[in-house]
Amino acid sequence: MSREDSCLSILKAAAKIQYNVALILEAKAIHAEKSRNWICHHLSTDAYENHAEQVKKSHDIHEQLIAVIHGITKMEEAFAKNLEILIGEKEDTSGAGAGGGLGNMFGLGGGLEK
């Protein structure tokens, strides 16, 4: 397998992972909407003895949501770093030394010299 094929395979795998992450986030958004509706209708001031308990419960719920967002952010940063390493590699296209340029397109091994 050539380097280009390997890179293409890695990029396809990264795209599949990103698609699956998008599906997970979509499911999380639906779940968050259901949770929001439940919280708005069931966690009223009547459900708690005092205001401090209500604030503590709200704080706990927000901490859970922030933990999920933080985890997703770390995962996406890792994906971005890996793709940056893969895509960001600079190839030497100076000509004969690396076999790059248009001359190598036809197997000439160098520049377009006569």
Side-chain angles (χ1 to χ4, degrees), residues 23 33 112:
L23 291 177
E33 180 69 21
L112 291 176

Side-chain angles (χ1 to χ4, degrees), residues 3-79:
R3 179 173 170 76
E4 290 84 15
D5 291 339
S6 296
C7 288
L8 187 59
S9 176
I10 292 169
L11 290 173
K12 283 181 181 179
K16 286 180 184 178
I17 291 171
Q18 290 289 356
Y19 176 74
N20 288 327
V21 168
L23 291 177
I24 291 168
L25 291 175
E26 185 178 352
K28 280 287 189 189
I30 292 169
H31 179 71
E33 180 69 21
K34 288 179 183 178
S35 296
R36 183 191 66 82
N37 290 336
W38 185 86
I39 289 168
C40 287
H41 294 298
H42 291 91
L43 296 182
S44 64
T45 55
D46 299 336
Y48 298 99
E49 293 179 13
N50 57 32
H51 184 66
E53 273 188 51
Q54 183 180 13
V55 170
K56 183 184 180 318
K57 185 63 175 176
S58 297
H59 183 265
D60 292 343
I61 292 169
H62 287 295
E63 276 186 347
Q64 291 173 359
L65 293 173
I66 288 172
V68 169
I69 292 168
H70 182 67
I72 291 169
T73 302
K74 285 178 108 177
M75 181 180 60
E76 289 296 330
E77 286 174 350
F79 285 147

